[in-house]
Amino acid sequence: MPTTREPRVGIRLNDVVVVALIVIFALLPFPDDTFRARGLLFVPALVAAAVMPFRRRWPLVVLAISLLCAVASAAAGTISPSALLAAAIGCYSAMDRRGRGIGLIAVAVSVVVVFLSNGWALAGDLLDSTALQFVLLVVLGGALGDAARSRREFAAAMIERAERAERNRDDEARRRVAEERVRIARDLHDVVAHQIAVISLNAGVASSALDSRPERAREALTTVRSASRTVLSDIGGLMSLLRSDALDDPEDRRPQSGLAQLDTLIDGFRRGGLRVDLRRQDDGFVLSPASDHAAYLVLQEALTNAHKHGLGGTATVALRIESAALHLTIVNPTRNVAPASPAPGNGLRGIQERLAAVRGAAHFGSDRGVFSLEAWIPVEGVDTP
């Protein structure tokens, strides 16, 4: 619940108005002698008026003093409208500043005191209408104080809710920006890394075979040219997509590669000098487009790593169905002889994120000079185990 800061004691315009009203009620020439203050009976009214500026900081004390002034007037046989008005204002402040629980107790005590003191001033006539109206005045003061406190708390709650919504909106915007940066980095790696690796490897082949095997160098340079055009086209398409105002427009998206292009992918690596042994037992299943593309990217990343970091220029690729998942295994010799579980680079980290998005999983590591990458991707239908 919002808390109210205690204001400093000081004279304000509404304090002047309240004090003036109490003094005027003390000086008014009421027709009924019961309400007239004479002589020393002005003192309780003036005391009640004097403590009014302190009602915000010490509302219960001010209320108690106002009730004592009313009782003192009743003991002299007079009902003091000014002291009772001060008591009503004190009930307002108590309910407004001390909360509903303490405020209700203060109002209830005030009602009892005012009711009995007025009956005392009227020689025991507790049900006199002229006296009961002051009881209603005290109750009205408490009700108005509760309404003022509730309105203030409601406004504070609305402000807090708006500030919290703004903070949540900012946090959500930052989260989306971070996710978008990761997605762009992942897509850029998928577009560029493979083709750049092909360019680098074939450039090395062309450089070493330029004198001894010119035809082999020409083939490698042809592959470099083709890969360069492909990567430039892919980067241009990615930039166009990022600059587009309608990212969901199907015309801005090209078809994503899947396992249907696996033979083309492997032929490209074979032309680059990587010997790939493909073993397929993956008939009779259905992959969603996202899962199909993720499977293709797993194979592309694993073969790219085998081509760049592998030893002997060989890799083994196996695809098979296990239970309700497509199991991909890519194995290649590596220069690392000791068992190790290397920290994932950008490519392997991107594969883990893509597989997690399709409820898949990946495991990779080196053991005794062999690097292996395994991936499991759920399938939508399996005809044969």
Side-chain angles (χ1 to χ4, degrees):
M1 179 180 295
T3 58
T4 302
R5 180 185 299 177
E6 296 293 345
R8 294 177 297 176
V9 176
I11 302 299
R12 301 180 182 180
L13 178 60
N14 55 358
D15 293 333
V16 175
V17 173
V18 167
V19 172
L21 284 176
I22 294 175
V23 172
I24 290 173
F25 268 71
L27 299 177
L28 282 178
F30 290 95
D32 193 338
D33 290 339
T34 308
F35 301 113
R36 291 183 181 179
R38 299 181 180 87
L40 294 177
L41 292 181
F42 285 108
V43 174
L46 296 179
V47 171
V51 298
M52 282 296 105
F54 302 94
R55 69 188 185 281
R56 298 183 186 87
R57 190 159 190 173
W58 300 297
L60 297 179
V61 174
V62 170
L63 175 61
I65 294 175
S66 301
L67 292 175
L68 287 176
C69 292
V71 172
S73 298
T78 301
I79 296 177
S80 175
S82 57
L84 294 174
L85 177 61
I89 296 175
C91 287
Y92 176 97
S93 299
M95 187 70 80
D96 182 33
R97 297 290 171 176
R98 290 293 177 260
R100 182 169 294 169
I102 297 177
L104 287 176
I105 295 175
V107 171
V109 172
S110 300
V111 167
V112 172
V113 171
V114 170
F115 179 73
L116 295 178
S117 64
N118 288 347
W120 186 10
L122 295 173
D125 190 2
L126 297 176
L127 300 181
D128 185 88
S129 60
T130 57
L132 290 178
Q133 62 185 343
F134 292 105
V135 174
L136 296 179
L137 180 63
V138 169
V139 173
L140 178 61
L144 292 177
D146 184 66
R149 178 188 52 78
S150 299
R151 184 175 63 254
R152 187 176 61 254
E153 291 178 353
F154 177 77
M158 290 298 100
I159 294 174
E160 181 184 3
R161 182 179 301 177
E163 293 175 349
R164 185 168 60 250
E166 185 175 357
R167 290 194 299 269
N168 293 339
R169 189 162 52 247
D170 293 340
D171 293 341
E172 178 67 14
R174 284 191 292 269
R175 184 187 66 80
R176 290 188 178 184
V177 168
E179 290 180 352
E180 186 65 12
R181 290 175 59 186
V182 171
R183 186 191 68 81
I184 292 173
R186 187 167 57 234
D187 291 345
L188 187 61
H189 180 275
D190 294 341
V191 168
V192 175
H194 168 61
Q195 298 297 339
I196 293 297
V198 170
I199 292 172
S200 176
L201 293 170
N202 281 277
V205 171
S207 176
S208 61
L210 186 61
D211 295 329
S212 58
R213 299 177 60 189
E215 69 283 354
R216 182 73 180 91
R218 280 194 295 270
E219 292 178 1
L221 291 175
T222 300
T223 303
V224 169
R225 178 184 299 175
S226 176
S228 300
R229 290 175 177 173
T230 301
V231 73
L232 288 175
S233 176
D234 289 341
I235 291 177
L238 182 59
M239 293 300 103
S240 297
L241 178 61
L242 293 177
R243 291 176 180 272
S244 175
D245 293 332
L247 296 181
D248 295 330
D249 189 351
E251 296 181 358
D252 291 336
R253 295 182 178 272
R254 293 180 297 173
Q256 293 181 328
S257 301
L259 293 181
Q261 290 80 36
L262 178 58
D263 293 335
T264 302
L265 176 67
I266 292 179
D267 289 342
F269 279 103
R270 285 171 176 167
R271 287 194 303 270
L274 181 66
R275 296 187 300 275
V276 181
D277 180 16
L278 178 61
R279 304 170 185 177
R280 301 189 64 163
Q281 297 177 358
D282 57 340
D283 295 332
F285 72 96
V286 177
L287 284 176
S288 66
S291 299
D292 191 30
H293 184 54
Y296 179 88
L297 294 176
V298 169
L299 295 172
Q300 176 179 278
E301 179 65 24
L303 292 175
T304 300
N305 289 339
H307 206 175
K308 290 170 55 178
H309 309 296
L311 185 64
T314 61
T316 301
V317 177
L319 292 81
R320 62 182 180 273
I321 296 297
E322 289 185 356
S323 300
L326 174 64
H327 184 195
L328 306 177
T329 305
I330 304 92
V331 179
N332 64 274
T334 182
R335 296 180 179 85
N336 185 11
V337 179
S341 297
N346 292 329
L348 293 176
R349 188 180 298 113
I351 290 302
Q352 290 177 322
E353 293 170 354
R354 288 191 180 276
L355 289 177
V358 297
R359 298 179 293 110
H363 174 75
F364 51 86
S366 299
D367 186 13
R368 299 178 184 178
V370 177
F371 181 83
S372 62
L373 188 151
E374 296 183 83
W376 292 266
I377 302 175
V379 298
E380 295 183 358
V382 179
D383 295 336
T384 58

